[in-house]
Each structure stands twice: as structure tokens, then as C-alpha cells.
Amino acid sequence: MTINAAQIKALAAQIKKGSRLALSRAITLIESTTAADRTAAGQLLQSLLPHTGGSIRLGLTGAPGCGKSTLIDQLGLNLITLGKRVAVLAIDPSSTKSGGSILADKTRMGRLSALESAFIRPSPSSGKLGGDARNTHETLLLCEAAGFDVVIVETVGIGQSEAVIADIVDFVAILIQPGTGDELQGLKRGVLEIANMIVVTKSDGEGLIAAARTAGDYAGTLHIMTAPGSPWDPPVQQVSAIENQGLDEMWVQIERHQNLLNEKGMLEEIRRDQAARRLRVLVEEEVLARFHRDEKNSAKLQKLERMVRSGELTPGVAADDALK
Amino acid sequence: MTINAAQIKALAAQIKKGSRLALSRAITLIESTTAADRTAAGQLLQSLLPHTGGSIRLGLTGAPGCGKSTLIDQLGLNLITLGKRVAVLAIDPSSTKSGGSILADKTRMGRLSALESAFIRPSPSSGKLGGDARNTHETLLLCEAAGFDVVIVETVGIGQSEAVIADIVDFVAILIQPGTGDELQGLKRGVLEIANMIVVTKSDGEGLIAAARTAGDYAGTLHIMTAPGSPWDPPVQQVSAIENQGLDEMWVQIERHQNLLNEKGMLEEIRRDQAARRLRVLVEEEVLARFHRDEKNSAKLQKLERMVRSGELTPGVAADDALK
């Protein structure tokens, strides 16, 4: 696809009117890796940036099988009933390897995807600087320009996606499936640190007792992990998506958090800091990638690593040598 | 100081005999930033590396005032009574800025420093690739070549020192001062993740009740944070250094952990992985430092960061521009 300046302008205008077709076309442009498309995508984003920032950016992360899709489906329906337009995006670190997607089809959120006020976008393809997470971030901005009130970014809490999500959204909810002590331990280290809320899913039927125990365990842990004097003490919320229990309370907390940030003038500041940090991360990732892509560097480093592993060199002396 | 090949050989021989004077001279050489000294230091380390690895490498981290020095003083005495030689080193991330040291003098560990079997080295000066942490790591290797049985690396649990310490030692003990819930929260995020043990200090006199409560809180938290099937479940140990209570139990646990790693053949593997990771970290830190030291890059990045903060550019588009 090639696109000229007039077409970019027209596309931007249609997006601002809320056109889903225009939104989809723009996302395709953003995900393209050809030089011409990337220039065009940059221009489109630049013209739309003044119209972004109006949504609540909600990050949801949790292990496969924890009930993420069911929760998003019901939460989305509730929000649409409140008159809101809802977009659902995904960061899927594994898709860059497998080519697959955690949102393989829209049947995962069957009821939500059928609604005009909802927009569900599968995990983007990658292949350029910043890859998948970058596409998701820019798609989020497009959705805001298109007038969506809530943008949900979902990710499986593995790899580094949770560090990225914390730099993209306003609020991170970690979904935990109730279980025994042993199953609890499977939570990836580092994930709790970015939580603005813990959601214990499947709090219904025979799972109720286990869910209450899980909620209690995490309440204590979160309390220890919260910085003193912090304006926000992350709550633990029990939820049953199939019974639509606890989701309203979950949303009330999210709005309370957003209002708190807005009142204190912190939201804009946080988002500016996030954007600056994203820039730095993207640049540094690419600087390192270029260093390692250089075959001479790469071969030298591999040789030195072998010498370090075999005990011939200290890491410090080897590093001096690698950078000579 | 300039030093020739024969002198390096003599120095290495003296270190292997356990000479404290030679050890001190070698550390000074390692900390030097002149090119000739660094080459000499590299040669010295290379010749001594086959004689390293024989110590238990113990990392102790905790906030200022948590009782670190008092604990090390008493633990060191206990170990020397068991016939061991003990070295105490420090990584002090703040010293690179202030020029100061957390080990300002040896009076902090008054009794230990008076003993012939103890070697206490203040926080090193920095100023070269890898800085402070690198000097500490290489000093640790020298201490092993000099026959020390236990090398204690202490650091205040702030900044990034805890990530570094996890790549240098075999066992990390986090020292926690008993306190109320609010005080507990001051623990830096990320610190718990590297803990092989939590030590609740000052478990004596009027502090006993608070210490028991603190120990209970952390036991639950550690349980949640431990990976399922992990061969080591980090214990919580209450200790009173002034009453010499709990320190023997602490040491028994550390030896049990070391034996566990040795039995499974994991110790050497872990140390090799640590060394390889240190090499990668040192190289990548310097690659990024060079990128940022380049005035053109730095000025461009600052300008782009302003544009990202003001909402003129997305981080992705700005990153493309920065790296053009």
C-alpha cells in the first residue's frame, strides 16, 4: 500500500469521526515495515497525536487459562452498557516467534466482538524497531483518536511484556486464578511489582473458598510490597465473570484511581514520563541489537564468553577486550 | 605504580601464600584506571583464576541502620572461631557519586577487623568500565586465591546493587529490621526476588515481639514468591547479633544451601552462568554509555525526548528518527 499526503489527511479525518474501517486501515499502515509506509504512518500519528489521551488505558495481564478472555468479554459488555466505547488490544511476546497470536480469533470474546461499540484487534505482527509492543502502543493512540473511552491492553504475564505494559497503560490489573499454595507460586517474579490491582478470577461455585484464600494471601503480600506514603494501595478484587460479580466493583476502583491521578495532575505527568521512557527503551534496544547483529562483535563476544565460562578470563577483563 | 611481568608473577605467588600485604597491593592494582595497570591487573587475574572458586560467596544486603555491620562483626568472629578465614567486601553504588564509602572505617566491625584471619576492604573507588561492582568482583577472586574460606559482599539494598550482587555471590541474605507494617513497606521492590534467606535482625529484648511478627509476614510472602519445584525454599531467620543468637543457625542454612548446590553439581554451573551474564552486562552497559556519551546522539535524543513529552511525536517514530 502506498499513500500520499492527501490520503493521510483524509484517513486522519475519518479516524477522528470514529470510522472503524479507517481505523483498521491505519493500523495496517502502522504495522507495515516498508520505508514508505513507516514514513506515512509517522505522519499520520503526528497529525492525530493532539487528539489522543482521552481514554482510560487499562492493562490486564495473567497466565494462560486464568480467565482473561471471559473477563474482558463481560467487562466490555458492562462498559458498553454504561455508554462507553471499548477497544481491546494485545501484546503477545510469543507471537514474534511463533507467528501465532493469543487472539487467534474473535470467538474468545464472542459477545463483545459482535457489538458496534467494541473494537477487538488481534495481536499485531512485528518485524520492525520495537516490534509488537510498539505497534500496540501506536494502535492504542489511534483508538483514542477514534474516540474510544476505554482501551484494554491484554498480555500474558510472561517474558518482558509486563515491563512494557507498565509503560503503556494507566492502570495494571493482574489476574490470578484461585488455587492451592503451590499453584500460586507459579506467578512470575516481577509481575506483582507493577500491579495497581490484583483480580482473583473464577470466584464462584466450588472455587469460592479457594478464591477467598488466594485473595487473602495476596492482600498481605501487596501490603508489604507497597511503598510507604504511596497514594494508591493496590486492592485485591474477587471476580466471577460468568456470574458478572465483582466486575462493577473492579471498574469503580479503576475510575477511582484515574480520578485520583487526574485530581493531583499526575496523569499527564505519568504519561509523559512513560513516553520518554519508551523512547529510551526503544533506542537502547536497537543500539544493543545493532551491536549484537554486527558479526565481528558477535563472534568476539561468543569467544570471550567461552573463555569466561571456562575460567580463563574474568568478565571485567573480557569486557575490556570485547570493546577494544 | 608500574609493574613488570616478573613482579606480577611474584605478586601472584605471594597472594597464593595468603599474604595480606600482597593482596592489598593487588587490589590497588585492580582499582587503578591507567592503561598499563589495567593490563597488568588483567594478567594477574588471569594467572590467579585457576586458584579461585574455593570460598563460600555470601551476599548481605539491607537498608542503612538495619544492623548489617554488627551482624557481620559477630558472624565473622563465629566463623573465625570455626577456623575459617573471612573477607568482607562492599559494593556501594552511592560511593561513585559521593566519593564516600559505606565502610568509612573499620571501626564499624571493630572486633573482626582486629583479627589476623579477617580481611576488611572498604568500598572501592570506581572510574572504569563496570566500576565499583567490577572491582568488588575481582577483589573477591583475589581473596579466594589468597585462601579465604568465606567472602562476604555487603551492599545497601538500594539502586541496582542487588541485581549485581546476585551475579557475584552464591547466596543472598536480605537483612530486615523488625518494625511495624509501615516500616516494612520500605523494602525496595525487586530485593525480595533475589533472596535465598531473609534475616530479621535485632531479635532481642523489647524488639522480640515485633521481630517475630516481621518474620511471620515475610515467611508468607517468600512462599508466594518461590517458584514451584524450586530446590530451595528461602527460610526466614531471626537473629540477635548483640546476643549472638541465631547466627549459627543462619550459617548452617548457608552451608546447607552450598552443599545442596555442590551435590547437584549446580554451583559451578551457576557461577559460569553468572560470569557469562556479568560479561554481557558489562559490555552492554559500555555500548550504551558510548552511545550516550556521543554528543550528537545525546543532543538529538534530548531534543526528541522533549518532542515526545510535549506530545508532538510518538516514542516509536522518535526512536526511528534518533537512530537514522
Side-chain angles (χ1 to χ4, degrees):
Chain A
M1 146 162 133
T2 47
I3 183 167
N4 63 33
Q7 287 170 315
I8 291 172
K9 209 176 157 185
L11 192 58
Q14 287 175 302
I15 288 170
K16 279 187 276 181
K17 283 187 195 149
S19 158
R20 299 162 62 95
L21 184 63
L23 182 57
S24 290
R25 280 195 59 205
I27 295 172
T28 305
L29 186 65
I30 274 176
E31 292 179 357
S32 168
T33 54
T34 72
D37 282 351
R38 291 184 69 168
T39 304
Q43 289 162 351
L44 177 69
L45 283 165
Q46 199 159 358
S47 73
L48 287 174
L49 266 177
H51 307 282
T52 63
S55 82
I56 292 186
R57 303 169 178 177
L58 170 61
L60 294 180
T61 183
C66 73
K68 218 158 42 240
S69 307
T70 318
L71 187 146
I72 294 173
D73 197 38
Q74 186 61 55
L75 178 65
L77 286 175
N78 296 356
L79 292 172
I80 286 170
T81 306
L82 293 173
K84 299 186 189 300
R85 295 177 70 212
V86 179
V88 181
L89 315 176
I91 304 179
D92 178 10
S94 64
S95 72
T96 55
K97 284 168 202 154
S98 66
S101 166
I102 53 171
L103 276 162
D105 57 45
K106 295 183 181 180
T107 58
R108 285 202 307 125
M109 301 165 199
R111 297 174 301 168
L112 189 60
S113 63
L115 298 179
E116 184 61 31
S117 296
F119 181 83
I120 300 184
R121 181 76 188 183
S123 190
S125 58
S126 155
K128 68 178 184 190
L129 168 57
D132 198 59
R134 170 177 171 178
N135 289 337
T136 302
H137 180 222
E138 294 179 348
T139 300
L140 180 152
L141 296 171
L142 291 179
C143 290
E144 288 186 337
F148 284 90
D149 305 292
V150 181
V151 182
I152 298 174
V153 179
E154 69 158 324
T155 177
V156 289
I158 52 169
Q160 303 196 293
S161 56
E162 65 277 357
V164 171
I165 208 173
D167 276 347
I168 289 180
V169 300
D170 304 323
F171 190 98
V172 177
I174 314 280
L175 275 52
I176 310 271
Q177 194 175 195
T180 66
D182 279 348
E183 285 159 10
L184 273 186
Q185 299 175 351
L187 191 69
K188 185 175 166 294
R189 295 180 171 203
V191 162
L192 279 184
E193 301 187 6
I194 60 161
N196 298 112
M197 171 189 272
I198 297 278
V199 176
V200 180
T201 58
K202 306 181 184 177
S203 297
D204 44 44
E206 292 178 359
L208 256 179
I209 292 169
R213 195 175 49 228
T214 300
D217 287 350
Y218 278 96
T221 299
L222 278 180
H223 183 64
I224 285 183
M225 296 185 77
T226 303
S230 168
W232 183 258
D233 210 350
V236 177
Q237 177 71 49
Q238 285 181 245
V239 156
S240 166
I242 56 168
E243 295 181 355
N244 196 8
Q245 293 288 326
L247 288 168
D248 289 347
E249 290 82 349
M250 178 184 170
W251 183 251
V252 165
Q253 301 263 31
I254 293 165
E255 283 198 321
R256 188 167 69 81
H257 181 265
Q258 207 77 1
N259 291 338
L260 187 77
L261 293 187
N262 268 320
E263 270 169 32
K264 300 198 174 222
M266 285 165 66
L267 186 62
E268 282 314 304
E269 196 184 319
I270 287 172
R271 286 178 171 181
R272 275 195 296 269
D273 288 345
Q274 285 178 322
R277 203 158 45 227
R278 284 292 301 150
L279 167 61
R280 194 156 287 256
V281 167
L282 287 173
V283 167
E284 294 194 341
E285 277 178 359
E286 181 61 16
V287 168
L288 291 179
R290 286 181 186 179
F291 177 83
H292 290 297
R293 270 201 302 270
D294 180 298
E295 278 181 31
K296 237 172 52 194
N297 290 334
S298 172
K300 197 171 179 185
L301 200 54
Q302 272 175 33
K303 187 185 152 212
L304 288 165
E305 188 183 319
R306 276 195 301 274
M307 294 177 77
V308 164
R309 282 186 176 274
S310 69
E312 291 166 73
L313 286 179
T314 70
V317 174
D320 283 343
D321 198 9
L323 295 159
K324 221 171 248 167
Chain B
M1 145 160 130
T2 47
I3 183 167
N4 61 34
Q7 287 170 316
I8 292 172
K9 208 174 158 186
L11 192 56
Q14 286 175 304
I15 288 170
K16 280 187 274 180
K17 283 188 196 149
S19 157
R20 299 161 62 95
L21 184 63
L23 182 58
S24 290
R25 279 193 62 204
I27 295 172
T28 305
L29 185 65
I30 275 176
E31 292 178 359
S32 169
T33 54
T34 72
D37 283 350
R38 292 184 68 169
T39 304
Q43 290 163 348
L44 177 68
L45 284 165
Q46 200 160 355
S47 73
L48 287 174
L49 266 176
H51 307 280
T52 63
S55 82
I56 292 187
R57 303 169 178 176
L58 169 62
L60 293 180
T61 183
C66 75
K68 219 159 39 246
S69 307
T70 317
L71 186 146
I72 293 173
D73 196 38
Q74 185 63 55
L75 178 64
L77 286 175
N78 295 356
L79 292 172
I80 286 170
T81 305
L82 292 174
K84 296 184 190 301
R85 293 177 69 211
V86 179
V88 182
L89 315 176
I91 303 179
D92 178 10
S94 64
S95 72
T96 55
K97 285 167 200 154
S98 66
S101 166
I102 53 171
L103 276 164
D105 57 45
K106 296 183 180 178
T107 59
R108 286 204 304 125
M109 300 165 200
R111 294 175 300 168
L112 189 60
S113 63
L115 297 179
E116 184 62 29
S117 296
F119 181 82
I120 301 183
R121 182 74 188 184
S123 189
S125 58
S126 154
K128 69 178 181 189
L129 168 58
D132 200 58
R134 169 175 172 181
N135 289 336
T136 301
H137 180 222
E138 294 179 347
T139 300
L140 181 153
L141 296 172
L142 291 179
C143 290
E144 288 185 338
F148 283 90
D149 306 291
V150 181
V151 182
I152 298 175
V153 179
E154 69 157 324
T155 177
V156 289
I158 52 170
Q160 302 195 296
S161 55
E162 63 277 357
V164 171
I165 208 173
D167 276 347
I168 290 181
V169 300
D170 305 323
F171 190 97
V172 177
I174 313 281
L175 275 51
I176 310 271
Q177 193 175 196
T180 67
D182 279 349
E183 287 159 10
L184 274 187
Q185 298 175 352
L187 192 68
K188 187 174 165 295
R189 293 177 171 205
V191 162
L192 279 184
E193 301 187 5
I194 59 160
N196 297 110
M197 170 189 273
I198 298 277
V199 176
V200 180
T201 58
K202 304 181 186 177
S203 296
D204 43 46
E206 292 178 0
L208 256 178
I209 292 167
R213 195 173 50 230
T214 300
D217 287 352
Y218 278 96
T221 300
L222 277 180
H223 185 64
I224 285 182
M225 298 185 78
T226 303
S230 168
W232 182 256
D233 209 349
V236 177
Q237 177 70 49
Q238 286 182 244
V239 155
S240 166
I242 55 168
E243 294 182 356
N244 196 7
Q245 293 288 325
L247 288 168
D248 289 346
E249 290 83 349
M250 177 182 170
W251 184 251
V252 166
Q253 302 262 30
I254 292 164
E255 282 197 324
R256 188 167 68 82
H257 181 265
Q258 207 77 1
N259 290 338
L260 187 77
L261 294 188
N262 267 321
E263 269 169 32
K264 301 197 174 223
M266 287 165 65
L267 186 63
E268 281 316 303
E269 196 185 320
I270 288 173
R271 286 178 171 180
R272 275 195 295 269
D273 288 346
Q274 285 178 322
R277 204 157 47 229
R278 284 294 300 151
L279 167 61
R280 194 156 286 255
V281 167
L282 287 173
V283 167
E284 294 195 341
E285 277 178 359
E286 181 61 15
V287 167
L288 292 178
R290 285 180 186 178
F291 177 83
H292 290 298
R293 269 202 301 269
D294 179 299
E295 279 182 29
K296 239 172 50 193
N297 289 334
S298 171
K300 198 172 179 185
L301 200 54
Q302 272 176 32
K303 187 185 154 213
L304 289 164
E305 187 183 320
R306 276 194 301 273
M307 294 177 77
V308 164
R309 284 187 175 273
S310 69
E312 291 165 74
L313 287 178
T314 70
V317 175
D320 283 342
D321 199 7
L323 295 158
K324 221 172 249 169

